[in-house]
Amino acid sequence: MSIELAPSHKIGLPIASPLIAGGGAFGFADEYSPLAGETRFSRFGAFITNPLTLRPRSPANKQHVVPFPGGALIHTGLPNPGLSAAIRDYEHKWEGLGCPVIVHIAATTSGEVAACAEKLERVESVAGIEIGFRDDESLAEVETMLRAAVQLARQPVIVSLPQARALAFARMAEKVGAQVVTATAPPRGTMHHNGELVSGRLYGPALLPQTLSIVRELKTQTALPIIGAGGVHTKDDVEAMLAAGATAVMVDSVAWVEGVNGLNVFNGFGK
């Protein structure tokens, strides 16, 4: 199977399988390669890195993984070495991963997004840029940041949609010339853990019904290709996401929950 994930872009983003490894579950390159198994990332159509920012970012003072029925709440603070260090350390590894690499940029300011796009423009081993936003980011600022990325990036720009505002962000992505949307970024939640309230991102199969509903609605509202993300743990989940209108499907939390055995259920899918 051959899929053109960004057909409107001058260089496109061809992928050999609809399965995409990402969602912060696989690291920045091959440091989590045992999770991907002996074939590493060649089983996937693409790999999306953990979030990167222009400058280094330290872990949250208190990191948490809090299980709940159907998933887990995860709070890390998005620690990363900064984009320049990531390019230095991982550029050559990205070349040999066996599938296209998409770098996820956590949006902060338009200036930093523009600087990230400029740095990545020169990195041949990066096939796409995914941009994630704070859930409460204003649409005006989203437009400014996206325009900067689209104007400066050599690669296709993918917009990770916050779940609660997916339609508004998708319309903005189409308006400014982005090429793909991811539906959706992990939603935020709060749980009581060890005597305190903990907030973080939610992952797990419990998210699938809501994700399917959003993908289905997005399909009627935008012509952009959709990466369905959230709650995919089986081949049936992948089929359901594709039936709802997704062009490609991200797998994430299954890597944490079931490791290599969980990923093996996807072997050969779509190839």
Side-chain angles (χ1 to χ4, degrees):
M1 176 183 293
S2 180
I3 301 167
E4 187 60 62
L5 188 57
S8 65
H9 194 269
K10 57 186 177 183
I11 65 171
L13 209 173
I15 58 177
S17 165
L19 287 179
I20 293 177
F26 293 87
F28 298 105
D30 63 351
E31 66 270 38
Y32 295 171
S33 58
L35 285 177
E38 293 181 2
T39 56
R40 301 176 73 192
F41 292 96
S42 60
R43 72 178 72 193
F44 297 107
F47 158 68
I48 301 178
T49 69
N50 280 18
L52 285 160
T53 47
L54 181 63
R55 297 175 178 81
R57 187 162 174 166
S58 300
N61 290 331
K62 290 184 178 181
Q63 298 189 65
H64 294 282
V65 177
V66 186
F68 64 86
L73 178 150
I74 298 176
H75 173 63
T76 65
L78 300 183
N80 72 89
L83 183 59
S84 294
I87 293 171
R88 180 197 66 212
D89 294 341
Y90 302 125
E91 180 177 2
H92 295 302
K93 292 181 178 181
W94 290 336
E95 292 174 355
L97 278 189
C99 67
V101 172
I102 299 166
V103 169
H104 181 103
I105 297 299
T108 48
T109 67
S110 57
E112 291 196 355
V113 169
C116 288
E118 286 185 314
K119 287 179 180 292
L120 290 171
E121 191 274 338
R122 300 185 291 271
V123 184
E124 291 296 327
S125 55
V126 173
I129 300 173
E130 182 183 59
I131 303 179
F133 299 91
R134 298 194 313 269
D135 290 16
D136 60 351
E137 191 70 77
S138 72
L139 283 177
E141 189 60 25
V142 170
E143 180 174 2
T144 300
M145 288 190 276
L146 282 179
R147 286 193 185 280
V150 170
Q151 289 171 5
L152 293 168
R154 170 184 59 84
Q155 305 91 338
V157 172
I158 302 164
V159 180
S160 182
L161 309 176
Q163 193 174 95
R165 304 166 70 195
L167 289 178
F169 272 62
R171 294 187 186 106
M172 181 62 69
E174 197 162 20
K175 174 184 175 181
V176 302
Q179 285 76 40
V180 187
V181 293
T182 299
T184 62
R188 296 195 67 84
T190 300
M191 295 185 64
H192 194 257
H193 178 66
N194 291 338
E196 62 179 331
L197 291 175
V198 177
S199 296
R201 298 286 179 179
L202 304 178
Y203 295 83
L207 301 179
L208 184 65
Q210 192 166 21
T211 304
L212 287 173
S213 180
I214 292 171
V215 169
R216 191 176 184 182
E217 187 169 7
L218 280 170
K219 188 64 178 178
T220 69
Q221 299 294 320
T222 178
L224 294 177
I226 300 166
I227 300 173
V232 173
H233 276 235
T234 70
K235 282 187 177 181
D236 285 346
D237 296 342
V238 177
E239 295 284 8
M241 200 74 82
L242 295 173
T247 301
V249 180
M250 189 185 299
V251 295
D252 48 33
S253 56
V254 65
W256 294 322
V257 175
E258 301 182 48
V260 173
N261 290 334
L263 293 175
N264 283 341
V265 305
F266 302 112
N267 283 349
F269 188 95
K271 289 196 173 184

